[in-house]
């Protein structure tokens, strides 16, 4: 493998195709770049390792995906020169073939077999409802990471009032990763497709998102709450972390050390839960009679922290259900 990054412009779109698929990210913002970076890092590790070994079967080991089905060439579609530069600066360190296209979405889709749709929810019509997009997507796999936009809405945008037969349409699948994909710690929720996808597409979707963290598959009806808990959850956790660090600072700890301690405490507690420990049992083990932990927990309970956090997930779920309808997200926010 060459040691020189092959970050190229649209002029080299027709390079000889290597074994493997071409993956296009349509709207390569922060999350799209994080997905590509996770895939690139995985491929450069030599064995295409997932971010986490599969214990529950929710993540697909690379060995289960044939080499011909693993992406080998990548296209990032962006709108602005600043975005193109950011993609090159972020991904240029990897020795993999990457094409960056500016305002050439049709070209990027034509060259790929698998497309990740990563634009803002309110831009859906502007990106997909354009001449030539239906034809470019014919028979391909379109993976949407748009918050609050059901697969049916994407299909309607492409094919409403169209007589295009099902065999000539693309297959739309929803996936909901989160911002922790940047450090390959995402929690990605994939919506089950109906009718079922081809087995190789199922395997490929799990392969892609297991490069950036953990993967679970749930019915489409669970996607709004998954957007709330999985997508918005890092912000809720960051607020709790910051509050814990503030408490340490108030009692004399330096800010940097207090923040580091709070982050590691949350990471450790999360690791215990992911290892099979129940959160209630963790609390019980730490709460000795007459100790400082039970005193602190009682303050949290008196402040209704548990109920407030639960309601924040409920409220975020309601908002998530409106994102694709143009009611929320018009300011460019994702979650």
């Amino acid at each position: 493998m060459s040691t020189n990054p092959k970050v190229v412009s649209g002029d080299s779109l027709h390079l000889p195709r290597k074994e493997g698929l071409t993956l296009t990210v349509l709207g390569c913002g922060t999350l799209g770049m994080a997905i590509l970076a996770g895939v690139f890092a995985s491929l450069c590790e030599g064995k295409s390792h997932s971010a986490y070994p599969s214990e529950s079967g929710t993540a697909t080991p690379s060995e289960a995906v044939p080499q011909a089905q693993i992406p080998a060439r990548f296209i990032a579609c962006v709108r602005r020169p600043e975005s193109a530069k950011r993609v090159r600066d972020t991904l240029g360190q990897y020795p993999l073939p990457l094409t960056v296209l500016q305002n050439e979405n049709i070209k990027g889709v034509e060259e790929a077999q698998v497309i990740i749709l990563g634009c803002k929810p309110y831009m859906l019509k502007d990106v997909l409802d354009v001449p030539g997009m239906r034809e470019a997507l014919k028979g391909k796999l379109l993976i949407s990471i748009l918050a609050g936009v059901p697969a049916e809405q994407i299909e309607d945008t492409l094919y409403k009032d169209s007589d295009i037969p099902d065999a000539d349409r693309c297959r739309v699948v929803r996936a909901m990763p989160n911002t922790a994909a940047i450090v390959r710690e995402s929690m990605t929720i994939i919506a089950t497709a109906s009718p079922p996808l081809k087995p190789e597409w199922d395997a490929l979707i799990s392969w892609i998102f297991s490069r950036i963290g953990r993967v679970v598959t749930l019915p489409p009806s669970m996607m709004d709450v998954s957007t709330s808990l999985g997508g918005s959850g890092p912000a809720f956790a960051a607020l709790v972390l910051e509050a814990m660090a503030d408490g340490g600072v108030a009692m004399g700890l330096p800010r940097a050390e207090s923040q580091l301690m709070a982050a590691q405490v949350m990471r450790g507690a999360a690791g215990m839960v992911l290892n099979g420990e129940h959160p209630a049992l963790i609390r019980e083990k730490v709460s000795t009679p007459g100790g400082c932990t039970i005193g602190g927990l009682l303050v949290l309970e008196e402040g209704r922290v548990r109920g407030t956090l639960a309601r924040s997930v409920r409220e975020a779920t309601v908002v998530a259900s409106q994102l694709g309808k143009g009611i929320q997200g018009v300011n460019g926010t994702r979650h």
Side-chain angles (χ1 to χ4, degrees):
M1 182 178 290
S2 170
T3 58
N4 297 320
K6 293 178 65 177
V7 184
V8 295
S9 68
D11 295 338
S12 58
L13 262 179
H14 298 287
L15 287 170
R17 182 168 296 167
K18 295 182 178 181
E19 183 182 12
L21 301 176
T22 296
L23 171 66
T24 286
V25 179
L26 199 55
C28 197
T30 300
L31 195 51
M33 279 197 295
I35 293 170
L36 284 178
V39 171
F40 282 18
S42 174
L43 291 173
C44 291
E45 285 169 359
K47 290 187 178 180
S48 301
H49 293 300
S50 64
Y52 289 95
S54 177
E55 295 179 357
S56 63
T58 55
T60 301
S62 59
E63 292 79 7
V65 182
Q67 184 65 36
Q69 291 297 319
I70 292 178
R73 184 165 169 264
F74 305 88
I75 301 172
C77 294
V78 299
R79 290 189 301 161
R80 298 175 299 152
E82 299 85 352
S83 300
K85 182 179 184 302
R86 187 166 62 248
V87 171
R88 293 187 179 99
D89 290 346
T90 302
L91 302 177
Q93 60 180 301
Y94 297 101
L96 293 169
L98 170 66
T99 299
V100 181
L101 295 178
Q102 184 182 337
N103 295 317
E104 293 187 275
N105 291 346
I106 299 296
K107 200 177 212 179
V109 173
E110 286 175 343
E111 288 291 318
Q113 294 80 47
V114 182
I115 299 92
I116 294 178
L117 180 62
C119 64
K120 301 297 182 184
Y122 68 92
M123 295 172 60
L124 176 65
K125 190 175 180 67
D126 293 337
V127 172
L128 293 186
D129 191 15
V130 294
M133 184 59 76
R134 292 176 182 171
E135 293 74 17
L137 283 168
K138 179 179 177 181
K140 297 179 179 180
L141 176 63
L142 178 64
I143 305 170
S144 168
I145 58 172
L146 273 57
V149 181
E152 293 79 10
Q153 184 174 345
I154 297 172
E155 291 166 354
D156 284 347
T157 301
L158 283 167
Y159 303 115
K160 189 175 182 180
D161 301 325
S162 170
D163 57 359
I164 297 177
D166 291 346
D168 289 338
R169 300 186 178 196
C170 66
R171 286 302 308 272
V172 179
V173 177
R174 286 188 70 189
M176 189 68 254
N178 67 27
T179 190
I182 296 170
V183 291
R184 299 183 71 186
E185 292 281 359
S186 176
M187 178 69 258
T188 301
I189 301 88
I190 299 171
T192 53
S194 180
L197 296 173
K198 297 184 290 187
E200 57 267 31
W201 278 359
D202 264 332
L204 175 61
I205 294 168
S206 290
W207 184 92
I208 291 171
F209 290 101
S210 65
R211 306 306 99 182
I212 57 171
R214 298 180 186 270
V215 177
V216 298
T217 301
L218 292 171
S221 61
M222 300 291 182
M223 290 304 287
D224 286 337
V225 66
S226 295
T227 299
S228 168
L229 183 56
S232 303
F236 304 155
L239 181 64
V240 174
L241 189 157
E242 189 177 20
M244 291 171 61
D246 285 346
V249 172
M251 297 309 295
L253 281 175
R255 168 65 64 181
E257 285 76 5
S258 186
Q259 185 168 296
L260 174 64
M261 291 166 64
Q264 182 60 38
V265 163
M266 292 193 73
R267 181 176 184 173
M272 294 169 71
V273 172
L274 290 171
N275 201 41
E277 196 80 79
H278 193 282
L281 291 179
I282 296 175
R283 286 192 291 108
E284 290 296 321
K285 287 179 179 180
V286 183
S287 300
T288 56
C292 59
T293 304
I294 190 64
L297 284 170
L298 288 177
V299 172
L300 292 174
E301 295 291 8
E302 289 167 1
R304 301 180 180 179
V305 171
R306 183 199 304 260
T308 300
L309 285 171
R311 286 198 302 276
S312 73
V313 174
R314 293 175 61 186
E315 175 64 17
T317 301
V318 173
V319 175
S321 70
Q322 303 299 318
L323 286 176
K325 300 177 183 178
I327 298 175
Q328 301 288 338
V330 293
N331 61 352
T333 57
R334 178 171 177 78
H335 298 303

